[in-house]
Amino acid sequence: MENGMCDRKKERRRIDDVDRISALPEPILHLIMSFLPFNQLVQISVLSKAWLQAWRTFPFLEIDEIKSRPNKWETIGNSRTYWEKLVQLRHRNKVAIRKLTFRSHDALNLANQCIRYAIANNVKELELEHMHPLDRWYSLPQMVLCSKSLNVLKLQGYKLESLPLGNDLNLSLRKLSLSNVYADDQVMDNLVAQCPLIEDLQFDCCQGFKSLDIKAPNASSIAIATLLKCEVSITSCKNLKRLVFWNCSFTDEWLCNQISRLLLLEHLFIRCCQNIERIKISSTPLKTLCICMCERLVEVEIYTPNLRIFKYDGNLVSLSSGALTLSETELCFSSHDVDSQWYVNYTELLARFHKFSKVLNLRSRDCESVDVPGELRLILPHPLSGAKHLNFTVSLSYPFNFAIAKVMDFLLWISPHAETVCVDYEDKKKFYFQFTYNQQPVYEGKIAECCKSLPISCWEHCIKEVEIDVNSTYFKMNMNTHEIHRISKVERFVFYEGENISEKIDSLAESGVSHFEEIY
């Protein structure tokens, strides 16, 4: 009898020890909850009364019917009833809320109820997304645009109506992100004018604009994506430091004019702008320039003495520049018509950036177009001669087959006797090579014939030792929880002179993990 009572006391003490977390102060529980995915917050609310109370007072609320559909035991109606009761309870108890995220297809009543609760409790961040049929937008409640507590507003699938007339709102908004939003010029002009503190503006696939003249003197970052058939002016943004264009229809002259008048601009990103043919940029403060996938682009002219990072992805172009001292360069050249002249221009550009940049990263989509043919290697100079370290990234879809030795043959031609080479197959496999070379190339006791015809000895017959780390990555999905786990495996290999190094390197493409998605 006494033994049984002792056992029960020990069990109660063990449970108390396990559940000490529930005894933590509520702010600490909120901090723990802030690191968890939102769907897990609902689950932990049933652990104890302390966790339930912490869940009910958690200052971040996320209702996402798009990403998290009801499971087979519940209906959409039941799910919405749960959220409605929760919001009503929080509203009735005047629970403070810092951020509300709401995503849905058609739950307008629930959305408006959440918005009223959030605005009444001085919400700081509001993210609203409604998936809607084509050419149909939901009108945003006026209370949102009149809220003086909001610092961050992200909208998708809404229509912005006119602001109340005669009111000097002087809003506190610092970040405004509009995606698939309908608004006319006057509404947008009035909204930005009522937000003197705004620092970050983002426009993506918006409609209704005919002429967008952004007058935000304190804005430091602006991103404009898929804003077609609309005149845009950003020259009033005198403090702008970061500018992004994605799929925009501006002209060469417009870009040159706008950039030249932004005297503090430090970071410029131009992507998928198909009307542009020539980019001419003259900017002293510019530090980062990224140009990607502008199909009609043929010429780039840059006079940017303080440029530190340059990234280019697209067709081979004519490049002219002033003196550059780059800390990092990333290049990816592609062409539909690759001939001998293309390779000549390609190697000349590589050599030029090698002189400009401390770190040169090369990218390719197929490895084929950048592989200089053998007959041209005999007459062209090595573009990266003297480089000790080389990074090369390849974009390949799964499943993939590739000859890693062929890639290394090309890389060690453009950069002879490099000490380290990294070949990254876009999160699938990453190879780290570290080479030690002989001073005199020897093959079966004699100087290799291939080395006699080259100005610099070929890598395969000069290697004394090569150490290779292979990092393979794949993903596992749990069918019960739908959670995806990323798993990595690292293997190390060492090969020495006298072995068939080329063949052994090729075998590494098939070694390690060969499946990049497993379901269990």
Side-chain angles (χ1 to χ4, degrees), residues 61-65 76-88 100-104 106-118 128 130 158:
L61 183 59
E62 178 180 342
I63 303 175
D64 193 339
E65 290 188 345
I76 293 179
N78 290 337
S79 176
R80 289 179 181 173
T81 299
Y82 168 79
W83 289 116
E84 287 173 356
K85 291 181 177 179
L86 177 65
V87 171
Q88 289 171 3
L100 169 65
T101 301
F102 188 96
R103 301 185 184 97
S104 177
D106 54 4
L108 285 180
N109 291 333
L110 178 57
N112 291 335
Q113 184 177 342
C114 291
I115 291 171
R116 286 193 297 270
Y117 154 65
L128 306 174
H130 266 291
Y158 278 93

Side-chain angles (χ1 to χ4, degrees), residues 274 293-297 314-316 333-339 342-343 365-366 369:
Q274 308 305 350
M293 305 303 293
C294 299
E295 295 293 335
R296 299 179 63 185
L297 186 64
N315 296 329
L316 204 61
F333 294 116
S334 58
S335 178
H336 302 294
D337 300 311
V338 177
D339 55 16
W342 189 93
Y343 286 112
R365 294 185 183 85
D366 53 15
S369 62

Side-chain angles (χ1 to χ4, degrees), residues 116-133:
R116 286 193 297 270
Y117 154 65
I119 298 297
N121 287 275
N122 298 319
V123 65
K124 301 295 183 183
E125 298 182 37
L126 193 58
E127 183 175 346
L128 306 174
E129 178 181 341
H130 266 291
M131 303 298 291
H132 60 80

Side-chain angles (χ1 to χ4, degrees), residues 30-293:
H30 285 166
L31 179 62
I32 295 173
M33 294 168 69
S34 68
F35 292 101
L36 298 176
F38 200 82
N39 62 328
Q40 292 185 8
L41 298 182
V42 181
Q43 297 172 2
I44 67 172
S45 66
V46 301
L47 295 178
S48 67
K49 292 182 178 179
W51 281 111
L52 177 59
Q53 180 61 21
W55 158 241
R56 288 175 174 174
T57 59
F58 190 51
F60 299 88
L61 183 59
E62 178 180 342
I63 303 175
D64 193 339
E65 290 188 345
I66 297 175
K67 183 173 65 176
S68 303
R69 303 298 293 174
N71 60 38
K72 61 183 180 180
W73 290 287
E74 63 181 0
T75 64
I76 293 179
N78 290 337
S79 176
R80 289 179 181 173
T81 299
Y82 168 79
W83 289 116
E84 287 173 356
K85 291 181 177 179
L86 177 65
V87 171
Q88 289 171 3
L89 177 64
R90 293 171 67 105
H91 196 6
R92 187 166 56 248
N93 295 334
K94 298 181 179 180
V95 177
I97 181 168
R98 180 175 178 180
K99 180 178 179 179
L100 169 65
T101 301
F102 188 96
R103 301 185 184 97
S104 177
H105 288 276
D106 54 4
L108 285 180
N109 291 333
L110 178 57
N112 291 335
Q113 184 177 342
C114 291
I115 291 171
R116 286 193 297 270
Y117 154 65
I119 298 297
N121 287 275
N122 298 319
V123 65
K124 301 295 183 183
E125 298 182 37
L126 193 58
E127 183 175 346
L128 306 174
E129 178 181 341
H130 266 291
M131 303 298 291
H132 60 80
L134 188 64
D135 296 330
R136 177 184 173 187
W137 291 268
Y138 298 110
S139 294
L140 184 71
Q142 285 282 323
M143 68 179 74
V144 174
L145 298 182
C146 295
S147 171
K148 293 192 176 185
S149 66
L150 271 179
N151 298 141
V152 178
L153 178 60
K154 298 181 181 180
L155 301 175
Q156 179 172 341
Y158 278 93
K159 180 179 180 180
L160 306 188
E161 306 285 0
S162 299
L163 292 172
L165 297 177
N167 290 337
D168 185 10
L169 298 177
N170 197 24
L171 304 178
S172 301
L173 205 60
R174 293 181 180 272
K175 181 175 180 178
L176 176 63
S177 176
L178 305 179
S179 177
N180 195 18
V181 165
Y182 186 95
D184 61 33
D185 299 345
Q186 190 63 47
V187 170
M188 187 51 54
D189 290 345
N190 292 342
L191 177 58
V192 174
Q194 296 292 344
C195 302
L197 302 179
I198 202 157
E199 300 171 349
D200 191 335
L201 284 161
Q202 300 176 15
F203 303 91
D204 182 14
C205 295
C206 294
Q207 298 187 41
F209 300 140
K210 294 181 180 178
S211 177
L212 184 61
D213 187 2
I214 304 175
K215 296 179 180 179
N218 289 316
S220 60
S221 176
I222 293 179
I224 300 176
T226 318
L227 196 61
L228 307 175
K229 298 179 180 180
C230 173
E231 296 181 5
V232 179
S233 176
I234 52 179
T235 55
S236 297
C237 304
K238 300 300 183 182
N239 287 305
L240 195 63
K241 293 185 177 181
R242 182 178 183 272
L243 181 59
V244 179
F245 294 117
W246 188 310
N247 190 26
C248 296
S249 57
F250 55 72
T251 63
D252 305 352
E253 294 76 16
W254 180 91
L255 179 64
C256 180
N257 177 266
Q258 297 283 312
I259 301 304
S260 65
R261 298 169 67 179
L262 299 173
L263 303 182
L264 299 180
L265 188 65
E266 296 182 355
H267 309 283
L268 176 61
F269 304 84
I270 304 171
R271 186 177 180 88
C272 298
C273 296
Q274 308 305 350
N275 286 352
I276 199 163
E277 297 180 3
R278 289 173 175 81
I279 292 178
K280 182 178 181 179
I281 297 174
S282 179
S283 173
T284 300
L286 196 66
K287 297 179 181 179
T288 303
L289 175 60
C290 299
I291 304 171
C292 299
M293 305 303 293

